[in-house]
Amino acid sequence: MLKTQLHQSPLASPTLVPLSKPSGQANGGIAIFPAQSELALQKRTGSARVGLSSSTIDAVASPSTIEKSLSVKEVVKVKPSAGGFFSELGISGGLDTITDLMGKTLLLELVSAELDYKTGQEKETIKGYAYKKGQNEEEVTYECKFQVGEEFGEVGAIFVENEHHKEMYLKDIILDGFVGGPLNITCNSWVHSKYDNPQKRIFFTNKCYLPAETPSGLRRLREEELAILRGNGQGERKSYERIYDYDVYNDLGNPDSDMDKKRPVLGGKELPYPRRCRTGRRQSKTDPQSESRSGSIYVPRDEQFSTIKELTFSAKTVYSVVHALVPSLETAIVDSDLGFPYFTAIDELFNEGVNLPPLQKQGFLKDLFPRLVKTVTDASEDVLRFETPETMIRDRFFWFSDEEFARQTLAGINPYAIQLVTEWPLMSKLNPKIYGPPESAITTEIIEREIKGFMTLNEAIQQKKLFMLDYHDLFLPYVNKVRQLKGTTLYGSRTLFFLTPDETLKPLAIELTRPPTDDGKPQWKQVFIPSCHSTSMWLWRLAKAHVLAHDSGYHQLVSHWLRTHCATEPYIIATNRQLSEMHPIYKLLHPHFRYTIEINALARGYLINGNGIIETTFSPGKYSMELSAVAYDKQWQFDLQGLPNDLISRGLAVKDPTAPHGLKLAIEDYPFANDGLLLWDTIKEWVTNYVNHYYPDPSRIASDEELHSWWTEIRTIGHGDKKDSPGWPDLKTPSDLIHIVTTMVWVASGHHAAVNFGQYTYGGYFPNRPTIARTKMPVEDPTEGELKMFWDKPEVTLLTCFPSQIQATKVMAILDVLSNHSPDEEYLGQDPEPAWKEEPVINAAFERFHGRLKELEGIIDARNTDQRFKNRSGAGIVPYELLKPFSEPGVTGKGVPYSISI
């Protein structure tokens, strides 16, 4: 076990007082303040550097040798913010230009970690101005000098005041000259202009302190910084602020523009839901329960994407797809209901593409989306031409196969839905007076006919050979509501699979159910089975299309949005409100929370909002988010978000101390679970080493007030609608904390990667995963015309059921972007946080963590070439690589980033 090495010296590290953040969008100047200072006591020469980066500020100071005081020189280099394509989309703001910066200053103040031993009061800070000294085409240089007396003691923090009229991004400060080497202060933060907020920012050193062990000179500042981050819960937030607070999801609709765009509030007794970050925007004029959608969506400034990121950074590209590419598509495809007349017309999306209308700036879309938009050589117009997904490259008929349909429940992008059948007959738990008879139409006879020669139904259940996708009770209450909407339909569905001796799944039957209707029609349900006869074969294909639309909706709304993006946001808010930046658990979690609040805000603005991408392209339509709230109420528990407990809850594993990972899998060749458990164990080992270093015994947990406030706020406010539900672990021991943190890290990294980065691979050719089924089954209360069309041209019936051209191309463009890794993606375990590197024990543990992840890559590669594992290898099969930790840029179908940043 690692020994705790918390710094307990009363002279400990520096503290900062956070300023409200400056306004502006994601673009701006970045300052790398390598500011370096040293104690006079040490009688040696040192150097100090300050560095800004976004526009980068590198500061270097060269102190001279002095007896009782130290002269520190700082050089600050500032790069002006880049313009470019995003200014065309209204994404702008940031650091002043080089001309604007001339003559302006930064005020820096050193803060002592010690109280004055004579007075017991905080020591006076040491101030210095950094003035502009030079410039070239790429940067502006600032210099600063201090005199540090020996009585000052150890530097605990630095105050920064930005004298410019716009914000700047401060990367780090390095104080050089100490006997023990340079003192690094990692900032990575936007510093607002004093003209926006006169309050100075404060930055602490990288050392970690539990609350009770905070150096005496920093205790007040630690508490005050948290108070600033919490805010007072009043007023509309300004774009430069760093305030974290909670609110319900009352901003998805837009009733002020159209009452038909009013949406219910998610969060509260009626529709329980996690909380989001509060913006404080005014109430809607037409619906007091809704928040207006005027203006941009507030995101705490340090949660916004840094302009250090490449212009290809995915969230910017999502924004651009919505604002530039989708409108171009809607102009090019005038008829929103127009479907694809032939399957060859779908293939043309990858060959010929869609002609886009001319834009004001030639080549604008092409530069933003080089994968998607190509310029035709013999014309001036741009063409949206999709890259052929890897699945199609390997086997262009992959989507037609029942075996592939079943395999993707274990190795596709929604491996979280398959569950073991444990009871027979299958029964609905819904009210039969409203939804009709609860008994499933899938009978013992149907199943035994399909598994004839293997075993009986009872034997299959006893031997754990029967599995199911169950979208019956969750979807059935919404069937009649959805059918009132134009261009979509819905069923409740069950799909059964049999586990064959070679560990592959064989589809057995699909049941589709419609409840009694408002106009007096009784419940309708029918079972469809694979068949060689043409009629049954086409009905089976149509039933599969409906189930795949159900699975696509559940994947996007529950497995992806709810369980990763949405559930994580309260963890981020509570972490910033209750854990100081000096807290070791804050330092551990911080890389896993980067950029999630902003990508969620972008989703609320354009993807999951009323009449947004999800509502217009997925089967549940305007009820999509309401359905995700019902899933949260009925299915979500914190203790089931970790992979082992998730597998156990679905019947896919049982505890077995003699088995690898302590679990025996019901399906041994389950690629997601096989690789996921290796990754889970690797994450848990790293978290265990880290937590045990700072919390060697339960007494440290018991005395940590910040930690208990954090966990209480997550349970009672962030996820307060579920505070009385089962599944919340106690927080009394290091083991409890390890479980809690490992779960959060897994959700942000492994879980999200598994359901996100394969979306274009498996959904890019949309017949494999249609997001919507637009027409009902031709055998449900059929008209004469519907039956004739099905009999004469069953292929047309299937194509009519599939998404329309505009729905398909919008989704394909979004999935391409969502599946993309930016060139500067931050992968799990690739690079340590600065604070981890400075603590030798933690740095050594991280190096082991990195090494384990490299080993995992090799194990996954070996599994993908092992022909025994038929669910991840074979002719035409895409290898399962979604949980390989590292990746090159682009749409690769692998790579596990630290955080949910897309």
Side-chain angles (χ1 to χ4, degrees):
M1 181 167 64
L2 301 176
K3 293 183 179 180
T4 179
Q5 292 189 13
L6 277 181
H7 303 276
Q8 302 181 44
S9 162
L11 312 179
S13 77
T15 299
L16 305 174
V17 176
L19 300 177
S20 314
K21 296 205 162 178
S23 64
Q25 299 283 23
N27 284 347
I30 299 185
I32 305 170
F33 256 81
Q36 307 167 353
S37 113
E38 91 178 57
L39 297 179
L41 256 279
Q42 292 162 348
K43 301 181 182 179
R44 58 180 291 266
T45 302
S47 64
R49 296 190 318 124
V50 179
L52 293 184
S53 147
S54 171
S55 306
T56 300
I57 300 180
D58 271 332
V60 180
S62 301
S64 57
T65 304
I66 297 183
E67 282 293 323
K68 295 293 185 179
S69 66
L70 177 69
S71 175
V72 176
K73 174 185 174 184
E74 295 193 352
V75 178
V76 181
K77 299 175 184 176
V78 181
K79 292 184 180 178
S81 59
F85 305 120
F86 295 112
S87 59
E88 304 232 353
L89 300 174
I91 306 176
S92 60
L95 193 63
D96 305 29
T97 63
I98 288 180
T99 302
D100 295 332
L101 288 171
M102 293 182 66
K104 295 181 181 177
T105 60
L106 298 170
L107 173 61
L108 309 176
E109 298 183 40
L110 303 183
V111 179
S112 175
E114 309 167 24
L115 294 177
D116 189 307
Y117 73 93
K118 295 177 182 177
T119 65
Q121 302 299 310
E122 294 173 4
K123 295 178 181 178
E124 186 175 348
T125 61
I126 299 176
K127 299 180 177 64
Y129 281 96
Y131 291 95
K132 175 187 174 293
K133 291 294 183 181
Q135 72 178 65
N136 57 36
E137 292 182 358
E138 296 184 356
E139 61 190 22
V140 181
T141 303
Y142 289 78
E143 292 183 1
C144 173
K145 295 181 180 180
F146 316 92
Q147 293 292 323
V148 182
E150 107 180 71
E151 72 285 350
F152 188 73
E154 184 176 354
V155 175
I158 294 183
F159 284 109
V160 179
E161 182 178 77
N162 176 11
E163 305 280 311
H164 305 103
H165 284 275
K166 292 186 179 180
E167 66 187 343
M168 62 173 57
Y169 186 87
L170 183 59
K171 188 171 185 292
D172 55 37
I173 299 173
I174 304 169
L175 304 177
D176 199 5
F178 296 110
V179 171
L183 173 63
N184 294 279
I185 300 177
T186 303
C187 303
N188 288 327
S189 181
W190 293 95
V191 178
H192 60 260
S193 166
K194 74 174 186 179
Y195 300 101
D196 286 322
N197 183 345
Q199 188 177 45
K200 298 169 186 173
R201 282 295 305 278
I202 188 168
F203 294 96
F204 299 99
T205 60
N206 293 344
K207 295 177 184 177
C208 293
Y209 299 99
L210 297 183
E213 295 159 341
T214 308
S216 59
L218 306 180
R219 289 173 186 166
R220 177 185 65 85
L221 296 174
R222 178 173 184 149
E223 294 172 1
E224 286 185 358
E225 180 184 309
L226 286 173
I228 290 169
L229 292 169
R230 293 181 195 124
N232 61 10
Q234 303 298 313
E236 184 170 355
R237 297 273 62 85
K238 297 178 176 61
S239 58
Y240 58 79
E241 292 179 327
R242 303 162 55 239
I243 293 174
Y244 296 79
D245 203 354
Y246 299 94
D247 207 345
V248 294
Y249 280 74
N250 61 353
D251 64 341
L252 300 179
N254 192 3
D256 287 349
S257 69
D258 184 346
M259 280 305 291
D260 191 49
K261 292 182 181 178
K262 177 182 176 181
R263 295 294 180 268
V265 174
L266 305 186
K269 290 184 179 180
E270 190 172 334
L271 289 170
Y273 215 57
R275 296 299 186 262
R276 63 168 175 90
C277 188
R278 178 184 177 276
T279 68
R281 291 185 292 186
R282 62 173 177 80
Q283 290 181 327
S284 163
K285 295 176 182 177
T286 53
D287 177 25
Q289 289 189 320
S290 296
E291 182 175 278
S292 69
R293 289 179 61 84
S294 58
S296 60
I297 301 176
Y298 166 77
V299 171
R301 189 63 183 97
D302 281 346
E303 301 298 331
Q304 298 180 42
F305 298 106
S306 167
T307 51
I308 300 174
K309 291 287 182 185
E310 299 286 343
L311 290 182
T312 54
F313 192 59
S314 303
K316 289 288 192 298
T317 316
V318 173
Y319 182 94
S320 306
V321 166
V322 173
H323 280 268
L325 189 56
V326 168
S328 296
L329 278 171
E330 290 171 340
T331 302
I333 304 173
V334 178
D335 185 355
S336 62
D337 297 324
L338 183 65
F340 291 87
Y342 312 103
F343 277 94
T344 52
I346 301 173
D347 295 339
E348 287 176 4
L349 294 174
F350 309 101
N351 302 320
E352 301 299 324
V354 178
N355 291 329
L356 297 175
L359 295 171
Q360 291 180 347
K361 177 175 170 58
Q362 275 297 329
F364 173 56
L365 287 177
K366 178 174 171 287
D367 290 326
L368 278 177
F369 315 112
R371 265 181 55 89
L372 294 176
V373 180
K374 284 83 174 175
T375 299
V376 182
T377 54
D378 58 351
S380 60
E381 59 194 7
D382 286 337
V383 170
L384 175 68
R385 185 184 302 136
F386 292 95
E387 296 285 332
T388 304
E390 181 68 18
T391 41
M392 281 286 284
I393 292 173
R394 288 174 177 262
D395 179 1
R396 64 175 306 208
F397 300 110
F398 80 105
W399 67 279
F400 226 47
S401 158
D402 287 347
E403 290 75 17
E404 180 66 8
F405 167 57
R407 189 190 73 85
Q408 288 180 28
T409 65
L410 304 175
I413 57 171
N414 190 26
Y416 276 98
I418 190 80
Q419 60 182 271
L420 181 70
V421 175
T422 57
E423 297 178 350
W424 197 267
L426 302 174
M427 299 282 286
S428 170
K429 294 180 173 61
L430 298 174
N431 186 345
K433 294 180 180 179
I434 299 174
Y435 299 105
E439 298 84 9
S440 170
I442 303 176
T443 62
T444 301
E445 291 72 27
I446 291 173
I447 298 301
E448 292 194 335
R449 185 166 65 245
E450 293 300 309
I451 61 173
K452 186 177 181 180
F454 286 105
M455 59 187 67
T456 66
L457 173 67
N458 286 336
E459 289 171 338
I461 292 175
Q462 290 170 5
Q463 296 178 32
K464 298 184 178 180
K465 301 293 185 183
L466 206 58
F467 296 86
M468 174 171 59
L469 292 179
D470 187 359
Y471 299 127
H472 187 277
D473 284 11
L474 181 62
F475 282 23
L476 201 65
Y478 284 88
V479 168
N480 287 330
K481 293 179 183 179
V482 168
R483 288 186 171 210
Q484 300 299 312
L485 306 176
K486 178 186 175 184
T488 185
T489 192
L490 193 64
Y491 293 99
S493 69
R494 297 184 180 101
T495 306
L496 265 65
F497 303 88
F498 176 72
L499 184 64
T500 66
D502 64 2
E503 289 288 304
T504 60
L505 290 175
K506 168 183 166 64
L508 301 179
I510 293 172
E511 178 185 29
L512 300 178
T513 304
R514 182 206 68 202
T517 63
D518 295 336
D519 59 4
K521 291 181 181 177
Q523 181 195 70
W524 178 91
K525 56 189 169 190
Q526 187 165 330
V527 179
F528 304 91
I529 58 174
S531 174
C532 295
H533 184 267
S534 61
T535 302
S536 298
M537 177 182 67
W538 277 103
L539 287 173
W540 171 252
R541 289 171 180 164
L542 283 161
K544 273 204 305 183
H546 282 275
V547 168
L548 288 166
H550 301 166
D551 192 64
S552 293
Y554 185 87
H555 161 258
Q556 209 63 267
L557 296 169
V558 181
S559 301
H560 186 191
W561 164 257
L562 173 65
R563 293 186 61 179
T564 66
H565 289 259
C566 184
T568 296
E569 187 154 343
Y571 309 153
I572 301 170
I573 298 171
T575 299
N576 284 277
R577 286 168 55 88
Q578 300 299 339
L579 298 181
S580 165
E581 291 185 11
M582 289 190 280
H583 199 289
I585 299 303
Y586 177 95
K587 301 280 193 189
L588 176 59
L589 288 173
H590 180 67
H592 300 287
F593 292 162
R594 284 191 189 113
Y595 312 126
T596 302
I597 290 183
E598 179 158 33
I599 196 67
N600 288 359
L602 188 148
R604 298 204 316 274
Y606 307 110
L607 300 180
I608 62 173
N609 60 304
N611 212 36
I613 298 293
I614 295 292
E615 284 195 3
T616 56
T617 58
F618 282 73
S619 283
K622 65 185 286 187
Y623 300 103
S624 294
M625 292 304 292
E626 188 176 328
L627 193 146
S628 82
V630 173
Y632 177 71
D633 183 32
K634 295 183 179 300
Q635 299 177 358
W636 191 90
Q637 281 184 205
F638 181 86
D639 66 339
L640 299 184
Q641 304 315 300
L643 181 58
N645 285 349
D646 169 81
L647 294 170
I648 291 168
S649 72
R650 293 187 283 120
L652 271 296
V654 294
K655 290 183 179 180
D656 182 352
T658 66
H661 318 291
L663 293 178
K664 179 175 175 56
L665 293 175
I667 302 174
E668 292 183 10
D669 183 11
Y670 185 178
F672 162 68
N674 300 137
D675 297 354
L677 287 170
L678 277 174
L679 182 58
W680 168 273
D681 282 356
T682 303
I683 292 170
K684 186 175 181 181
E685 179 185 10
W686 154 241
V687 172
T688 299
N689 288 336
Y690 189 100
V691 168
N692 285 341
H693 177 64
Y694 292 106
Y695 298 93
D697 57 69
S699 66
R700 293 281 187 119
I701 299 282
S703 64
D704 191 336
E705 295 179 358
E706 285 185 6
L707 192 68
H708 288 287
S709 296
W710 168 75
W711 185 232
T712 298
E713 186 166 289
I714 287 172
R715 292 184 351 260
T716 63
I717 301 178
H719 283 275
D721 294 341
K722 303 277 286 188
K723 66 180 183 294
D724 298 322
S725 300
W728 293 108
D730 292 328
L731 180 49
K732 296 179 179 178
T733 67
S735 178
D736 295 336
L737 182 58
I738 289 165
H739 170 65
I740 291 167
V741 171
T742 302
T743 298
M744 292 179 179
V745 170
W746 163 258
V747 169
S749 56
H751 180 152
H752 182 258
V755 299
N756 183 74
F757 290 104
Q759 291 191 85
Y760 190 75
T761 301
Y762 286 101
Y765 186 74
F766 70 84
N768 182 60
R769 286 187 68 77
T771 58
I772 188 171
R774 296 192 293 156
T775 57
K776 63 182 177 64
M777 293 291 290
V779 290
E780 181 207 335
D781 302 332
T783 65
E784 187 173 330
E786 289 171 341
L787 272 181
K788 186 176 189 317
M789 174 60 73
F790 173 65
W791 284 103
D792 292 349
K793 296 182 177 180
E795 178 181 331
V796 173
T797 301
L798 180 58
L799 286 165
T800 304
C801 183
F802 279 157
S804 68
Q805 290 188 29
I806 187 63
Q807 288 172 329
T809 51
K810 281 200 293 188
V811 169
M812 289 166 69
I814 290 289
L815 294 187
D816 183 277
V817 172
L818 295 182
S819 303
N820 188 72
H821 289 295
S822 66
D824 48 2
E825 187 78 86
E826 299 168 24
Y827 294 102
L828 180 70
Q830 186 173 46
D831 296 309
E833 292 291 287
W836 304 346
K837 290 193 290 186
E838 293 187 14
E839 181 60 71
V841 176
I842 297 300
N843 190 49
F846 178 83
E847 290 300 321
R848 291 194 297 274
F849 178 46
H850 177 81
R852 299 276 194 277
L853 293 171
K854 286 292 187 182
E855 291 174 9
L856 176 55
E857 293 225 310
I859 293 170
I860 291 174
D861 286 340
R863 287 173 171 176
N864 285 330
T865 58
D866 191 330
Q867 295 300 308
R868 293 175 301 166
F869 302 134
K870 293 181 171 55
N871 290 320
R872 64 190 308 153
S873 65
I877 289 177
V878 174
Y880 189 77
E881 297 185 312
L882 288 171
L883 292 175
K884 283 189 72 173
F886 308 112
S887 173
E888 60 273 12
V891 177
T892 63
K894 59 185 175 183
V896 181
Y898 268 113
S899 66
I900 304 165
S901 59
I902 187 63

